[in-house]
Amino acid sequence: MQNVDGAAFLADCPTRLAVEIISDKWAVLVIFGLSHQPRRHGELVDLIGGISRKVLTQTLRRLQQYGLVERRAETPRWVEYSLTDLGRTLVEPIEVLTHWARDHGGAIVDFQEAAEAATAARVRAAG
């Protein structure tokens, strides 16, 4: 995203598409969930805590439209999802973000708690 001329900020810039994809928490989790092996819909629901079947279906469809996930149906009741070659190119950047979150997530939580405490103290002092 380092672009002196500001092209990364243009509406049709590929950088915006990448940010759109990785800013969707469910998309990132689905890609990461498929990073080691193909999985069925129910397996992904079980793997990804908090995702509903409907949201998972919508996310898988969107990732298919991006060319990142492929759907393989042996029968109407046996459907498996896997990453495409293009989808696999996102695994490493997602792993980097995961490591960053693991290393720095505590500092962010500490900052949020301090900010909330400061706001509460201001409200008490004003009121």
Side-chain angles (χ1 to χ4, degrees), residues 45-80:
V45 168
D46 292 342
L47 181 67
I48 303 170
I51 193 169
S52 70
R53 291 184 172 277
K54 178 183 176 185
V55 170
L56 176 58
T57 298
Q58 292 169 340
T59 302
L60 286 165
R61 286 182 182 154
R62 190 169 44 257
L63 292 172
Q64 284 178 267
Q65 291 171 346
Y66 289 144
L68 303 173
V69 168
E70 60 188 4
R71 179 182 187 271
R72 190 177 63 137
E74 294 285 324
T75 68
R77 303 199 95 207
W78 195 94
V79 177
E80 185 177 74

PDB file of all heavy atoms in Angstrom, residues 45-80:
ATOM      1  N   VAL A  45     -18.562 -25.136   9.915  1.00  0.00           N
ATOM      2  CA  VAL A  45     -19.398 -24.572  10.981  1.00  0.00           C
ATOM      3  C   VAL A  45     -18.844 -24.981  12.341  1.00  0.00           C
ATOM      4  O   VAL A  45     -18.738 -24.159  13.256  1.00  0.00           O
ATOM      5  CB  VAL A  45     -20.871 -25.007  10.832  1.00  0.00           C
ATOM      6  CG1 VAL A  45     -21.679 -24.663  12.081  1.00  0.00           C
ATOM      7  CG2 VAL A  45     -21.500 -24.369   9.603  1.00  0.00           C
ATOM      8  N   ASP A  46     -18.487 -26.254  12.473  1.00  0.00           N
ATOM      9  CA  ASP A  46     -17.939 -26.746  13.737  1.00  0.00           C
ATOM     10  C   ASP A  46     -16.570 -26.125  14.041  1.00  0.00           C
ATOM     11  O   ASP A  46     -16.251 -25.851  15.197  1.00  0.00           O
ATOM     12  CB  ASP A  46     -17.797 -28.274  13.714  1.00  0.00           C
ATOM     13  CG  ASP A  46     -19.140 -28.988  13.682  1.00  0.00           C
ATOM     14  OD1 ASP A  46     -20.178 -28.360  14.008  1.00  0.00           O
ATOM     15  OD2 ASP A  46     -19.151 -30.176  13.315  1.00  0.00           O
ATOM     16  N   LEU A  47     -15.777 -25.909  13.018  1.00  0.00           N
ATOM     17  CA  LEU A  47     -14.422 -25.383  13.188  1.00  0.00           C
ATOM     18  C   LEU A  47     -14.417 -23.901  13.555  1.00  0.00           C
ATOM     19  O   LEU A  47     -13.637 -23.464  14.396  1.00  0.00           O
ATOM     20  CB  LEU A  47     -13.628 -25.604  11.892  1.00  0.00           C
ATOM     21  CG  LEU A  47     -12.182 -25.148  11.872  1.00  0.00           C
ATOM     22  CD1 LEU A  47     -11.358 -25.992  12.839  1.00  0.00           C
ATOM     23  CD2 LEU A  47     -11.630 -25.262  10.454  1.00  0.00           C
ATOM     24  N   ILE A  48     -15.303 -23.138  12.922  1.00  0.00           N
ATOM     25  CA  ILE A  48     -15.306 -21.677  13.068  1.00  0.00           C
ATOM     26  C   ILE A  48     -16.373 -21.286  14.085  1.00  0.00           C
ATOM     27  O   ILE A  48     -17.554 -21.215  13.760  1.00  0.00           O
ATOM     28  CB  ILE A  48     -15.556 -20.983  11.710  1.00  0.00           C
ATOM     29  CG1 ILE A  48     -14.502 -21.418  10.698  1.00  0.00           C
ATOM     30  CG2 ILE A  48     -15.576 -19.474  11.894  1.00  0.00           C
ATOM     31  CD1 ILE A  48     -14.807 -20.987   9.279  1.00  0.00           C
ATOM     32  N   GLY A  49     -15.951 -21.032  15.286  1.00  0.00           N
ATOM     33  CA  GLY A  49     -16.891 -20.684  16.345  1.00  0.00           C
ATOM     34  C   GLY A  49     -17.655 -19.408  16.046  1.00  0.00           C
ATOM     35  O   GLY A  49     -17.070 -18.407  15.640  1.00  0.00           O
ATOM     36  N   GLY A  50     -18.972 -19.462  16.231  1.00  0.00           N
ATOM     37  CA  GLY A  50     -19.797 -18.263  16.106  1.00  0.00           C
ATOM     38  C   GLY A  50     -20.356 -17.975  14.734  1.00  0.00           C
ATOM     39  O   GLY A  50     -21.159 -17.057  14.576  1.00  0.00           O
ATOM     40  N   ILE A  51     -19.974 -18.726  13.726  1.00  0.00           N
ATOM     41  CA  ILE A  51     -20.492 -18.468  12.384  1.00  0.00           C
ATOM     42  C   ILE A  51     -21.778 -19.273  12.191  1.00  0.00           C
ATOM     43  O   ILE A  51     -21.854 -20.435  12.563  1.00  0.00           O
ATOM     44  CB  ILE A  51     -19.460 -18.792  11.282  1.00  0.00           C
ATOM     45  CG1 ILE A  51     -19.909 -18.212   9.929  1.00  0.00           C
ATOM     46  CG2 ILE A  51     -19.181 -20.287  11.190  1.00  0.00           C
ATOM     47  CD1 ILE A  51     -18.844 -18.241   8.854  1.00  0.00           C
ATOM     48  N   SER A  52     -22.788 -18.621  11.628  1.00  0.00           N
ATOM     49  CA  SER A  52     -24.031 -19.328  11.347  1.00  0.00           C
ATOM     50  C   SER A  52     -23.911 -20.035  10.003  1.00  0.00           C
ATOM     51  O   SER A  52     -23.062 -19.687   9.171  1.00  0.00           O
ATOM     52  CB  SER A  52     -25.208 -18.351  11.320  1.00  0.00           C
ATOM     53  OG  SER A  52     -25.120 -17.516  10.175  1.00  0.00           O
ATOM     54  N   ARG A  53     -24.761 -21.001   9.784  1.00  0.00           N
ATOM     55  CA  ARG A  53     -24.760 -21.718   8.505  1.00  0.00           C
ATOM     56  C   ARG A  53     -25.026 -20.756   7.345  1.00  0.00           C
ATOM     57  O   ARG A  53     -24.405 -20.849   6.294  1.00  0.00           O
ATOM     58  CB  ARG A  53     -25.785 -22.850   8.521  1.00  0.00           C
ATOM     59  CG  ARG A  53     -25.380 -23.978   9.449  1.00  0.00           C
ATOM     60  CD  ARG A  53     -26.361 -25.143   9.374  1.00  0.00           C
ATOM     61  NE  ARG A  53     -25.850 -26.267  10.122  1.00  0.00           N
ATOM     62  CZ  ARG A  53     -24.975 -27.153   9.659  1.00  0.00           C
ATOM     63  NH1 ARG A  53     -24.514 -27.031   8.444  1.00  0.00           N
ATOM     64  NH2 ARG A  53     -24.549 -28.146  10.414  1.00  0.00           N
ATOM     65  N   LYS A  54     -25.954 -19.828   7.552  1.00  0.00           N
ATOM     66  CA  LYS A  54     -26.306 -18.865   6.504  1.00  0.00           C
ATOM     67  C   LYS A  54     -25.114 -17.971   6.151  1.00  0.00           C
ATOM     68  O   LYS A  54     -24.795 -17.778   4.981  1.00  0.00           O
ATOM     69  CB  LYS A  54     -27.484 -18.010   6.968  1.00  0.00           C
ATOM     70  CG  LYS A  54     -27.888 -16.948   5.973  1.00  0.00           C
ATOM     71  CD  LYS A  54     -29.007 -16.083   6.507  1.00  0.00           C
ATOM     72  CE  LYS A  54     -29.320 -14.973   5.523  1.00  0.00           C
ATOM     73  NZ  LYS A  54     -30.315 -14.040   6.037  1.00  0.00           N
ATOM     74  N   VAL A  55     -24.450 -17.433   7.172  1.00  0.00           N
ATOM     75  CA  VAL A  55     -23.301 -16.554   6.929  1.00  0.00           C
ATOM     76  C   VAL A  55     -22.162 -17.334   6.285  1.00  0.00           C
ATOM     77  O   VAL A  55     -21.484 -16.829   5.381  1.00  0.00           O
ATOM     78  CB  VAL A  55     -22.859 -15.847   8.233  1.00  0.00           C
ATOM     79  CG1 VAL A  55     -21.530 -15.139   8.055  1.00  0.00           C
ATOM     80  CG2 VAL A  55     -23.930 -14.872   8.681  1.00  0.00           C
ATOM     81  N   LEU A  56     -21.967 -18.581   6.707  1.00  0.00           N
ATOM     82  CA  LEU A  56     -20.926 -19.408   6.088  1.00  0.00           C
ATOM     83  C   LEU A  56     -21.231 -19.618   4.611  1.00  0.00           C
ATOM     84  O   LEU A  56     -20.349 -19.487   3.758  1.00  0.00           O
ATOM     85  CB  LEU A  56     -20.783 -20.747   6.803  1.00  0.00           C
ATOM     86  CG  LEU A  56     -19.786 -21.717   6.168  1.00  0.00           C
ATOM     87  CD1 LEU A  56     -18.384 -21.113   6.080  1.00  0.00           C
ATOM     88  CD2 LEU A  56     -19.764 -23.034   6.930  1.00  0.00           C
ATOM     89  N   THR A  57     -22.476 -19.927   4.294  1.00  0.00           N
ATOM     90  CA  THR A  57     -22.863 -20.119   2.889  1.00  0.00           C
ATOM     91  C   THR A  57     -22.604 -18.850   2.085  1.00  0.00           C
ATOM     92  O   THR A  57     -22.030 -18.904   0.985  1.00  0.00           O
ATOM     93  CB  THR A  57     -24.345 -20.524   2.790  1.00  0.00           C
ATOM     94  OG1 THR A  57     -24.514 -21.773   3.471  1.00  0.00           O
ATOM     95  CG2 THR A  57     -24.789 -20.660   1.348  1.00  0.00           C
ATOM     96  N   GLN A  58     -22.990 -17.692   2.616  1.00  0.00           N
ATOM     97  CA  GLN A  58     -22.758 -16.422   1.925  1.00  0.00           C
ATOM     98  C   GLN A  58     -21.265 -16.162   1.736  1.00  0.00           C
ATOM     99  O   GLN A  58     -20.830 -15.730   0.662  1.00  0.00           O
ATOM    100  CB  GLN A  58     -23.385 -15.269   2.718  1.00  0.00           C
ATOM    101  CG  GLN A  58     -24.888 -15.297   2.743  1.00  0.00           C
ATOM    102  CD  GLN A  58     -25.479 -14.308   3.747  1.00  0.00           C
ATOM    103  OE1 GLN A  58     -24.800 -13.864   4.683  1.00  0.00           O
ATOM    104  NE2 GLN A  58     -26.733 -13.969   3.555  1.00  0.00           N
ATOM    105  N   THR A  59     -20.489 -16.449   2.752  1.00  0.00           N
ATOM    106  CA  THR A  59     -19.040 -16.227   2.687  1.00  0.00           C
ATOM    107  C   THR A  59     -18.401 -17.151   1.659  1.00  0.00           C
ATOM    108  O   THR A  59     -17.568 -16.719   0.851  1.00  0.00           O
ATOM    109  CB  THR A  59     -18.409 -16.439   4.079  1.00  0.00           C
ATOM    110  OG1 THR A  59     -19.027 -15.543   5.008  1.00  0.00           O
ATOM    111  CG2 THR A  59     -16.907 -16.203   4.041  1.00  0.00           C
ATOM    112  N   LEU A  60     -18.785 -18.423   1.669  1.00  0.00           N
ATOM    113  CA  LEU A  60     -18.241 -19.370   0.682  1.00  0.00           C
ATOM    114  C   LEU A  60     -18.593 -18.943  -0.737  1.00  0.00           C
ATOM    115  O   LEU A  60     -17.746 -19.003  -1.633  1.00  0.00           O
ATOM    116  CB  LEU A  60     -18.760 -20.782   0.968  1.00  0.00           C
ATOM    117  CG  LEU A  60     -18.126 -21.469   2.179  1.00  0.00           C
ATOM    118  CD1 LEU A  60     -18.958 -22.679   2.589  1.00  0.00           C
ATOM    119  CD2 LEU A  60     -16.689 -21.868   1.889  1.00  0.00           C
ATOM    120  N   ARG A  61     -19.808 -18.487  -0.949  1.00  0.00           N
ATOM    121  CA  ARG A  61     -20.203 -18.028  -2.289  1.00  0.00           C
ATOM    122  C   ARG A  61     -19.382 -16.823  -2.733  1.00  0.00           C
ATOM    123  O   ARG A  61     -18.951 -16.736  -3.882  1.00  0.00           O
ATOM    124  CB  ARG A  61     -21.695 -17.700  -2.318  1.00  0.00           C
ATOM    125  CG  ARG A  61     -22.558 -18.938  -2.306  1.00  0.00           C
ATOM    126  CD  ARG A  61     -24.015 -18.612  -2.394  1.00  0.00           C
ATOM    127  NE  ARG A  61     -24.809 -19.836  -2.328  1.00  0.00           N
ATOM    128  CZ  ARG A  61     -26.045 -19.893  -1.901  1.00  0.00           C
ATOM    129  NH1 ARG A  61     -26.674 -18.802  -1.496  1.00  0.00           N
ATOM    130  NH2 ARG A  61     -26.691 -21.034  -1.870  1.00  0.00           N
ATOM    131  N   ARG A  62     -19.184 -15.880  -1.807  1.00  0.00           N
ATOM    132  CA  ARG A  62     -18.388 -14.695  -2.148  1.00  0.00           C
ATOM    133  C   ARG A  62     -16.948 -15.090  -2.473  1.00  0.00           C
ATOM    134  O   ARG A  62     -16.357 -14.607  -3.451  1.00  0.00           O
ATOM    135  CB  ARG A  62     -18.448 -13.699  -0.987  1.00  0.00           C
ATOM    136  CG  ARG A  62     -17.865 -12.350  -1.311  1.00  0.00           C
ATOM    137  CD  ARG A  62     -18.165 -11.285  -0.269  1.00  0.00           C
ATOM    138  NE  ARG A  62     -18.004 -11.706   1.110  1.00  0.00           N
ATOM    139  CZ  ARG A  62     -19.006 -12.013   1.943  1.00  0.00           C
ATOM    140  NH1 ARG A  62     -20.258 -11.952   1.537  1.00  0.00           N
ATOM    141  NH2 ARG A  62     -18.751 -12.373   3.189  1.00  0.00           N
ATOM    142  N   LEU A  63     -16.379 -15.997  -1.686  1.00  0.00           N
ATOM    143  CA  LEU A  63     -15.018 -16.450  -1.948  1.00  0.00           C
ATOM    144  C   LEU A  63     -14.924 -17.223  -3.254  1.00  0.00           C
ATOM    145  O   LEU A  63     -13.905 -17.162  -3.945  1.00  0.00           O
ATOM    146  CB  LEU A  63     -14.505 -17.290  -0.775  1.00  0.00           C
ATOM    147  CG  LEU A  63     -14.285 -16.516   0.529  1.00  0.00           C
ATOM    148  CD1 LEU A  63     -13.972 -17.455   1.673  1.00  0.00           C
ATOM    149  CD2 LEU A  63     -13.197 -15.473   0.364  1.00  0.00           C
ATOM    150  N   GLN A  64     -15.981 -17.935  -3.628  1.00  0.00           N
ATOM    151  CA  GLN A  64     -16.015 -18.600  -4.934  1.00  0.00           C
ATOM    152  C   GLN A  64     -16.030 -17.549  -6.046  1.00  0.00           C
ATOM    153  O   GLN A  64     -15.343 -17.711  -7.053  1.00  0.00           O
ATOM    154  CB  GLN A  64     -17.262 -19.475  -5.058  1.00  0.00           C
ATOM    155  CG  GLN A  64     -17.190 -20.780  -4.295  1.00  0.00           C
ATOM    156  CD  GLN A  64     -18.488 -21.550  -4.434  1.00  0.00           C
ATOM    157  OE1 GLN A  64     -19.379 -21.423  -3.601  1.00  0.00           O
ATOM    158  NE2 GLN A  64     -18.603 -22.315  -5.491  1.00  0.00           N
ATOM    159  N   GLN A  65     -16.791 -16.484  -5.858  1.00  0.00           N
ATOM    160  CA  GLN A  65     -16.861 -15.429  -6.873  1.00  0.00           C
ATOM    161  C   GLN A  65     -15.530 -14.714  -7.048  1.00  0.00           C
ATOM    162  O   GLN A  65     -15.215 -14.225  -8.121  1.00  0.00           O
ATOM    163  CB  GLN A  65     -17.956 -14.422  -6.521  1.00  0.00           C
ATOM    164  CG  GLN A  65     -19.347 -14.998  -6.648  1.00  0.00           C
ATOM    165  CD  GLN A  65     -20.417 -14.079  -6.089  1.00  0.00           C
ATOM    166  OE1 GLN A  65     -20.128 -13.115  -5.378  1.00  0.00           O
ATOM    167  NE2 GLN A  65     -21.664 -14.386  -6.403  1.00  0.00           N
ATOM    168  N   TYR A  66     -14.739 -14.666  -5.991  1.00  0.00           N
ATOM    169  CA  TYR A  66     -13.394 -14.084  -6.077  1.00  0.00           C
ATOM    170  C   TYR A  66     -12.397 -15.061  -6.685  1.00  0.00           C
ATOM    171  O   TYR A  66     -11.259 -14.698  -6.963  1.00  0.00           O
ATOM    172  CB  TYR A  66     -12.874 -13.692  -4.690  1.00  0.00           C
ATOM    173  CG  TYR A  66     -13.532 -12.513  -4.036  1.00  0.00           C
ATOM    174  CD1 TYR A  66     -13.726 -12.499  -2.669  1.00  0.00           C
ATOM    175  CD2 TYR A  66     -13.937 -11.398  -4.753  1.00  0.00           C
ATOM    176  CE1 TYR A  66     -14.307 -11.410  -2.035  1.00  0.00           C
ATOM    177  CE2 TYR A  66     -14.522 -10.313  -4.135  1.00  0.00           C
ATOM    178  CZ  TYR A  66     -14.708 -10.327  -2.775  1.00  0.00           C
ATOM    179  OH  TYR A  66     -15.276  -9.249  -2.153  1.00  0.00           O
ATOM    180  N   GLY A  67     -12.780 -16.325  -6.822  1.00  0.00           N
ATOM    181  CA  GLY A  67     -11.862 -17.333  -7.349  1.00  0.00           C
ATOM    182  C   GLY A  67     -10.928 -17.894  -6.302  1.00  0.00           C
ATOM    183  O   GLY A  67      -9.892 -18.479  -6.637  1.00  0.00           O
ATOM    184  N   LEU A  68     -11.285 -17.751  -5.021  1.00  0.00           N
ATOM    185  CA  LEU A  68     -10.418 -18.186  -3.934  1.00  0.00           C
ATOM    186  C   LEU A  68     -10.787 -19.561  -3.390  1.00  0.00           C
ATOM    187  O   LEU A  68      -9.949 -20.247  -2.814  1.00  0.00           O
ATOM    188  CB  LEU A  68     -10.450 -17.158  -2.797  1.00  0.00           C
ATOM    189  CG  LEU A  68     -10.050 -15.735  -3.192  1.00  0.00           C
ATOM    190  CD1 LEU A  68     -10.277 -14.780  -2.034  1.00  0.00           C
ATOM    191  CD2 LEU A  68      -8.617 -15.690  -3.675  1.00  0.00           C
ATOM    192  N   VAL A  69     -12.033 -19.941  -3.558  1.00  0.00           N
ATOM    193  CA  VAL A  69     -12.544 -21.216  -3.046  1.00  0.00           C
ATOM    194  C   VAL A  69     -13.276 -21.921  -4.178  1.00  0.00           C
ATOM    195  O   VAL A  69     -13.936 -21.281  -5.004  1.00  0.00           O
ATOM    196  CB  VAL A  69     -13.503 -20.980  -1.850  1.00  0.00           C
ATOM    197  CG1 VAL A  69     -14.281 -22.228  -1.486  1.00  0.00           C
ATOM    198  CG2 VAL A  69     -12.727 -20.476  -0.645  1.00  0.00           C
ATOM    199  N   GLU A  70     -13.143 -23.242  -4.196  1.00  0.00           N
ATOM    200  CA  GLU A  70     -13.921 -24.018  -5.155  1.00  0.00           C
ATOM    201  C   GLU A  70     -14.821 -24.995  -4.421  1.00  0.00           C
ATOM    202  O   GLU A  70     -14.492 -25.472  -3.335  1.00  0.00           O
ATOM    203  CB  GLU A  70     -13.029 -24.730  -6.169  1.00  0.00           C
ATOM    204  CG  GLU A  70     -12.044 -25.709  -5.604  1.00  0.00           C
ATOM    205  CD  GLU A  70     -11.083 -26.225  -6.671  1.00  0.00           C
ATOM    206  OE1 GLU A  70     -11.132 -25.761  -7.817  1.00  0.00           O
ATOM    207  OE2 GLU A  70     -10.273 -27.090  -6.332  1.00  0.00           O
ATOM    208  N   ARG A  71     -15.957 -25.263  -5.026  1.00  0.00           N
ATOM    209  CA  ARG A  71     -16.972 -26.153  -4.468  1.00  0.00           C
ATOM    210  C   ARG A  71     -17.006 -27.401  -5.324  1.00  0.00           C
ATOM    211  O   ARG A  71     -17.097 -27.325  -6.542  1.00  0.00           O
ATOM    212  CB  ARG A  71     -18.326 -25.441  -4.509  1.00  0.00           C
ATOM    213  CG  ARG A  71     -19.484 -26.216  -4.003  1.00  0.00           C
ATOM    214  CD  ARG A  71     -20.755 -25.357  -4.173  1.00  0.00           C
ATOM    215  NE  ARG A  71     -21.890 -25.968  -3.558  1.00  0.00           N
ATOM    216  CZ  ARG A  71     -22.709 -26.818  -4.141  1.00  0.00           C
ATOM    217  NH1 ARG A  71     -22.506 -27.173  -5.405  1.00  0.00           N
ATOM    218  NH2 ARG A  71     -23.732 -27.330  -3.495  1.00  0.00           N
ATOM    219  N   ARG A  72     -16.939 -28.559  -4.663  1.00  0.00           N
ATOM    220  CA  ARG A  72     -16.988 -29.824  -5.386  1.00  0.00           C
ATOM    221  C   ARG A  72     -18.128 -30.642  -4.802  1.00  0.00           C
ATOM    222  O   ARG A  72     -18.149 -30.924  -3.606  1.00  0.00           O
ATOM    223  CB  ARG A  72     -15.673 -30.564  -5.240  1.00  0.00           C
ATOM    224  CG  ARG A  72     -15.557 -31.765  -6.166  1.00  0.00           C
ATOM    225  CD  ARG A  72     -14.205 -32.384  -6.016  1.00  0.00           C
ATOM    226  NE  ARG A  72     -14.071 -32.861  -4.637  1.00  0.00           N
ATOM    227  CZ  ARG A  72     -13.548 -34.022  -4.315  1.00  0.00           C
ATOM    228  NH1 ARG A  72     -13.059 -34.811  -5.233  1.00  0.00           N
ATOM    229  NH2 ARG A  72     -13.460 -34.398  -3.061  1.00  0.00           N
ATOM    230  N   ALA A  73     -19.074 -31.003  -5.659  1.00  0.00           N
ATOM    231  CA  ALA A  73     -20.238 -31.767  -5.210  1.00  0.00           C
ATOM    232  C   ALA A  73     -20.196 -33.162  -5.814  1.00  0.00           C
ATOM    233  O   ALA A  73     -20.298 -33.317  -7.029  1.00  0.00           O
ATOM    234  CB  ALA A  73     -21.519 -31.054  -5.613  1.00  0.00           C
ATOM    235  N   GLU A  74     -20.008 -34.155  -4.960  1.00  0.00           N
ATOM    236  CA  GLU A  74     -20.063 -35.553  -5.400  1.00  0.00           C
ATOM    237  C   GLU A  74     -21.518 -35.946  -5.632  1.00  0.00           C
ATOM    238  O   GLU A  74     -21.848 -36.590  -6.605  1.00  0.00           O
ATOM    239  CB  GLU A  74     -19.436 -36.465  -4.343  1.00  0.00           C
ATOM    240  CG  GLU A  74     -17.948 -36.259  -4.150  1.00  0.00           C
ATOM    241  CD  GLU A  74     -17.134 -36.843  -5.285  1.00  0.00           C
ATOM    242  OE1 GLU A  74     -17.509 -37.892  -5.816  1.00  0.00           O
ATOM    243  OE2 GLU A  74     -16.113 -36.227  -5.632  1.00  0.00           O
ATOM    244  N   THR A  75     -22.360 -35.572  -4.684  1.00  0.00           N
ATOM    245  CA  THR A  75     -23.809 -35.745  -4.758  1.00  0.00           C
ATOM    246  C   THR A  75     -24.409 -34.482  -4.160  1.00  0.00           C
ATOM    247  O   THR A  75     -23.685 -33.687  -3.548  1.00  0.00           O
ATOM    248  CB  THR A  75     -24.289 -36.983  -3.945  1.00  0.00           C
ATOM    249  OG1 THR A  75     -24.083 -36.710  -2.556  1.00  0.00           O
ATOM    250  CG2 THR A  75     -23.550 -38.244  -4.346  1.00  0.00           C
ATOM    251  N   PRO A  76     -25.718 -34.272  -4.290  1.00  0.00           N
ATOM    252  CA  PRO A  76     -26.299 -33.072  -3.686  1.00  0.00           C
ATOM    253  C   PRO A  76     -26.090 -32.988  -2.168  1.00  0.00           C
ATOM    254  O   PRO A  76     -26.063 -31.904  -1.603  1.00  0.00           O
ATOM    255  CB  PRO A  76     -27.791 -33.202  -4.005  1.00  0.00           C
ATOM    256  CG  PRO A  76     -27.842 -34.047  -5.228  1.00  0.00           C
ATOM    257  CD  PRO A  76     -26.679 -35.003  -5.114  1.00  0.00           C
ATOM    258  N   ARG A  77     -25.902 -34.114  -1.528  1.00  0.00           N
ATOM    259  CA  ARG A  77     -25.722 -34.111  -0.074  1.00  0.00           C
ATOM    260  C   ARG A  77     -24.251 -34.171   0.338  1.00  0.00           C
ATOM    261  O   ARG A  77     -23.945 -34.101   1.521  1.00  0.00           O
ATOM    262  CB  ARG A  77     -26.475 -35.294   0.544  1.00  0.00           C
ATOM    263  CG  ARG A  77     -27.956 -35.250   0.168  1.00  0.00           C
ATOM    264  CD  ARG A  77     -28.783 -36.058   1.062  1.00  0.00           C
ATOM    265  NE  ARG A  77     -29.282 -35.111   2.072  1.00  0.00           N
ATOM    266  CZ  ARG A  77     -29.609 -35.451   3.293  1.00  0.00           C
ATOM    267  NH1 ARG A  77     -29.505 -36.673   3.686  1.00  0.00           N
ATOM    268  NH2 ARG A  77     -30.054 -34.555   4.127  1.00  0.00           N
ATOM    269  N   TRP A  78     -23.336 -34.330  -0.602  1.00  0.00           N
ATOM    270  CA  TRP A  78     -21.920 -34.399  -0.280  1.00  0.00           C
ATOM    271  C   TRP A  78     -21.189 -33.330  -1.074  1.00  0.00           C
ATOM    272  O   TRP A  78     -20.869 -33.500  -2.246  1.00  0.00           O
ATOM    273  CB  TRP A  78     -21.337 -35.773  -0.592  1.00  0.00           C
ATOM    274  CG  TRP A  78     -20.003 -35.988   0.041  1.00  0.00           C
ATOM    275  CD1 TRP A  78     -19.763 -36.590   1.237  1.00  0.00           C
ATOM    276  CD2 TRP A  78     -18.725 -35.578  -0.461  1.00  0.00           C
ATOM    277  NE1 TRP A  78     -18.418 -36.584   1.507  1.00  0.00           N
ATOM    278  CE2 TRP A  78     -17.754 -35.962   0.473  1.00  0.00           C
ATOM    279  CE3 TRP A  78     -18.307 -34.910  -1.607  1.00  0.00           C
ATOM    280  CZ2 TRP A  78     -16.406 -35.715   0.308  1.00  0.00           C
ATOM    281  CZ3 TRP A  78     -16.958 -34.657  -1.774  1.00  0.00           C
ATOM    282  CH2 TRP A  78     -16.021 -35.054  -0.827  1.00  0.00           C
ATOM    283  N   VAL A  79     -20.936 -32.197  -0.391  1.00  0.00           N
ATOM    284  CA  VAL A  79     -20.272 -31.056  -1.011  1.00  0.00           C
ATOM    285  C   VAL A  79     -19.037 -30.730  -0.184  1.00  0.00           C
ATOM    286  O   VAL A  79     -19.087 -30.714   1.045  1.00  0.00           O
ATOM    287  CB  VAL A  79     -21.210 -29.833  -1.070  1.00  0.00           C
ATOM    288  CG1 VAL A  79     -20.492 -28.629  -1.648  1.00  0.00           C
ATOM    289  CG2 VAL A  79     -22.462 -30.160  -1.868  1.00  0.00           C
ATOM    290  N   GLU A  80     -17.946 -30.473  -0.882  1.00  0.00           N
ATOM    291  CA  GLU A  80     -16.686 -30.175  -0.220  1.00  0.00           C
ATOM    292  C   GLU A  80     -16.131 -28.871  -0.785  1.00  0.00           C
ATOM    293  O   GLU A  80     -16.273 -28.582  -1.968  1.00  0.00           O
ATOM    294  CB  GLU A  80     -15.720 -31.330  -0.487  1.00  0.00           C
ATOM    295  CG  GLU A  80     -14.419 -31.246   0.224  1.00  0.00           C
ATOM    296  CD  GLU A  80     -13.581 -32.476  -0.056  1.00  0.00           C
ATOM    297  OE1 GLU A  80     -13.040 -32.592  -1.172  1.00  0.00           O
ATOM    298  OE2 GLU A  80     -13.479 -33.310   0.846  1.00  0.00           O
TER     299      GLU A  80
END
